[in-house]
Amino acid sequence: MTVMSIARFERFFRTAAGLDVDKNDLKRYSDFVDAKLYDLLIVAQATAKANGRDIIRTCDLPITKGLQESIHRFQKIDHEIELKPILEQLATHPPLDRTPDEETEASYPDIIGGLSLALAQSFKILHPDLKNPQTQHWDEARAVFGLLL
């Protein structure tokens, strides 16, 4: 990841939740978004299959009301930070039984952005005075998201 990309992530986490992140956090973050995007796609794949389709459509993704609101808030923040081009590079997944259509794949950066915003804010909900997330905080956030997504 370039120095410019790292600076944008740091700025995003400061803007989203007043958090200071470092390079170790960016690896944890990348692992988190990879896993959560894949989880969403696994459920979407099952929905597409149940509906007799060979492709995954955006409507197959299990986007909750809360995640949708986080996506909208991310889009507002992203106008200043311009993180979306970097998120496009993170939006990868292993092969699936069903192939996502172009519209679905185009939605990945916004979905990852919404997950990112929700992640940053979850740190503050779990630990209101937190400034620099540590391994324990990442583990807690992953556990919460694991229950919900």
Side-chain angles (χ1 to χ4, degrees):
M1 191 174 288
T2 67
V3 173
M4 183 64 148
S5 299
I6 293 170
R8 286 185 189 175
F9 276 108
E10 290 172 343
R11 184 172 174 210
F12 170 76
F13 277 94
R14 273 193 308 275
T15 301
L19 296 171
D20 295 322
V21 295
D22 57 30
K23 288 182 184 180
N24 291 330
D25 292 318
L26 296 181
K27 171 65 173 132
R28 292 178 187 124
Y29 166 77
S30 178
D31 292 346
F32 171 83
V33 296
D34 284 347
K36 293 299 112 192
L37 179 61
Y38 184 69
D39 290 348
L40 291 171
L41 288 168
I42 290 296
V43 174
Q45 178 176 261
T47 301
K49 183 177 181 180
N51 288 312
R53 283 187 273 104
D54 289 334
I55 61 165
I56 296 171
R57 294 185 181 152
T58 306
C59 62
D60 295 325
L61 292 164
I63 305 295
T64 63
K65 177 184 175 278
L67 180 52
Q68 186 66 49
E69 290 171 355
S70 292
I71 290 168
H72 291 302
R73 286 193 308 269
F74 165 75
Q75 290 168 333
K76 290 178 184 175
I77 291 172
D78 193 49
H79 286 295
E80 297 174 21
I81 300 172
E82 298 178 0
L83 193 59
K84 198 170 177 179
I86 299 165
L87 297 181
E88 288 172 355
Q89 296 171 6
L90 292 177
T92 61
H93 58 81
L96 302 164
D97 292 340
R98 303 286 190 269
T99 304
D101 64 15
E102 288 181 23
E103 179 184 331
T104 303
E105 288 184 337
S107 70
Y108 293 171
D110 284 330
I111 292 168
I112 291 171
L115 288 168
S116 302
L117 185 70
L119 171 67
Q121 292 178 339
S122 71
F123 285 126
K124 290 303 234 181
I125 290 169
L126 295 170
H127 302 279
D129 297 327
L130 184 66
K131 292 295 179 196
N132 188 305
Q134 302 299 310
T135 302
Q136 167 196 345
H137 305 117
W138 283 92
D139 291 345
E140 291 171 356
R142 272 193 299 271
V144 170
F145 277 82
L147 289 172
L148 300 173
L149 294 179

